[in-house]
Amino acid sequence: MAFDLESLAEATSGAIGALVSTSILYPLDTCKTKYQAEVRAHHQQKYRNTADVLWEAIANGQFLSLYQGLGTKNLQSFISQFIYFYGYSFFKRLYLKKTGNKTIGTKANLIVGVAAGACTVIITQPLDTASSRMQTSKFGKSKGLWKLLSESSLSEAFDALGISLLLTTNPSIQYTAFDQLKQRLLKRQLKEKTSRNSSPEALSAFSAFVLGAVAKCIATFVTYPAIRLQTWMTTMKLRKLNQKNKRRFRGHSIQYGKGKGCSVFTKE
């Protein structure tokens, strides 16, 4: 039972941590997602960077719209992180039990992380797709979770599942990088403390924060092309719908006077 309780504790703490960080950084995440989802054609683009998205929301008095989809994102984040941390802890302990090793190597760590990530993605992909569509909707025009899911087919709900499975390497790279950096730092601290004949200290909160940020940067840098492709694929339906509405608008004409009229827009 201790085995399951320890895994449960790690999963719960990881999920709560993800919930807090997601809520705090959500406006920036929305700006990033809208910027990534933009289609650039013929060297024309609406946003030059993520800051342009932020300034647009502020200028239009729609800053709170940067929080559209927060509930869905928090739900997806909590569930995915809980499943991931529980799965990672479970598979890691299972590996150590089967092999009899006291520590897990880098390669085994990656495999365990990918296995946990795959389980997470398959379960939470519909929520991730809905969250991305909410974030990339026009400011103040986002639909609710249930309406988005009910309007989408099963295949649309699992858009970009293949890319998402590929991106399971992201948390595994992050977790592995963090674990390796932590071990190196603790070994260096242990040597310094041993030379001074003092007891070694555990990793401080600040050191853990810095190592976590560095590990996240490493994982994001390695997998960024796939992240960009995932965002583009999950928002494809929304872009097609917007283009369809624009075409309908362009086809309208204004009638004025007797037997007179003019087309407002040229042919598509």
Side-chain angles (χ1 to χ4, degrees):
M1 180 62 68
F3 175 87
D4 290 333
L5 285 177
E6 192 167 352
S7 299
L8 184 64
E10 290 188 18
T12 304
S13 60
I16 294 175
L19 195 65
V20 174
S21 62
T22 297
S23 299
I24 294 174
L25 300 175
Y26 191 75
L28 294 179
D29 187 59
T30 299
C31 292
K32 178 207 70 174
T33 303
K34 288 181 75 69
Y35 174 71
Q36 289 177 335
E38 184 185 12
V39 178
R40 295 170 177 80
H42 306 295
H43 304 287
Q44 295 180 353
Q45 61 184 86
K46 183 178 180 180
Y47 305 119
R48 294 170 298 175
N49 47 54
T50 53
D52 284 349
V53 185
L54 177 62
W55 296 128
E56 180 188 32
I58 295 175
N60 295 331
Q62 297 284 345
F63 179 78
L64 292 180
S65 293
L66 292 175
Y67 286 92
Q68 59 190 21
L70 176 60
T72 300
K73 189 69 174 182
N74 276 337
L75 178 63
Q76 183 265 341
S77 180
F78 184 87
I79 294 175
S80 63
Q81 291 300 313
F82 182 89
I83 295 173
Y84 178 80
F85 277 99
Y86 187 88
Y88 180 88
S89 179
F90 176 81
F91 289 130
K92 179 181 178 179
R93 295 178 188 281
L94 184 63
Y95 171 83
L96 295 176
K97 183 179 179 180
K98 294 293 183 181
T99 60
N101 297 331
K102 293 184 179 180
T103 58
I104 184 170
T106 303
K107 291 182 179 179
N109 215 343
L110 281 170
I111 294 173
V112 167
V114 168
C119 296
T120 302
V121 166
I122 293 172
I123 295 173
T124 62
Q125 182 62 37
L127 290 176
D128 187 54
T129 300
S131 175
S132 295
R133 289 175 180 171
M134 288 179 180
Q135 288 181 309
T136 53
S137 298
K138 291 183 178 180
F139 290 129
K141 303 294 184 180
S142 175
K143 298 179 181 179
L145 173 60
W146 179 250
K147 188 172 183 178
L148 278 173
L149 292 177
S150 61
E151 290 178 352
S152 303
S153 64
L154 186 62
S155 61
E156 290 173 340
F158 282 91
D159 274 347
L161 178 60
I163 298 297
S164 297
L165 287 173
L166 176 62
L167 282 172
T168 55
T169 56
N170 184 289
S172 61
I173 292 172
Q174 178 185 349
Y175 203 90
T176 301
F178 176 82
D179 195 50
Q180 295 301 313
L181 291 171
K182 181 181 72 173
Q183 290 182 19
R184 288 175 181 270
L185 182 60
L186 289 177
K187 284 181 180 179
R188 190 176 68 179
Q189 289 181 353
L190 180 60
K191 289 181 180 179
E192 292 177 356
K193 295 294 181 180
T194 302
S195 62
R196 298 174 186 173
N197 295 323
S198 57
S199 58
E201 296 180 357
L203 197 65
S204 66
F206 178 75
S207 297
F209 174 79
V210 173
L211 292 185
V214 172
K216 182 64 176 178
C217 288
I218 293 172
T220 301
F221 179 80
V222 172
T223 60
Y224 186 77
I227 294 174
R228 178 70 182 273
L229 182 59
Q230 180 198 40
T231 302
W232 188 84
M233 291 181 68
T234 53
T235 58
M236 186 182 297
K237 180 182 178 181
L238 183 62
R239 291 197 305 275
K240 287 182 178 179
L241 182 61
N242 289 337
Q243 290 175 358
K244 186 177 180 181
N245 291 336
K246 287 180 180 179
R247 288 170 183 168
R248 286 179 179 176
F249 185 64
R250 286 173 181 170
H252 291 172
S253 59
I254 297 178
Q255 299 292 331
Y256 60 93
K258 185 177 180 181
K260 297 181 180 180
C262 83
S263 294
V264 180
F265 296 97
T266 59
K267 190 177 181 180
E268 302 171 28

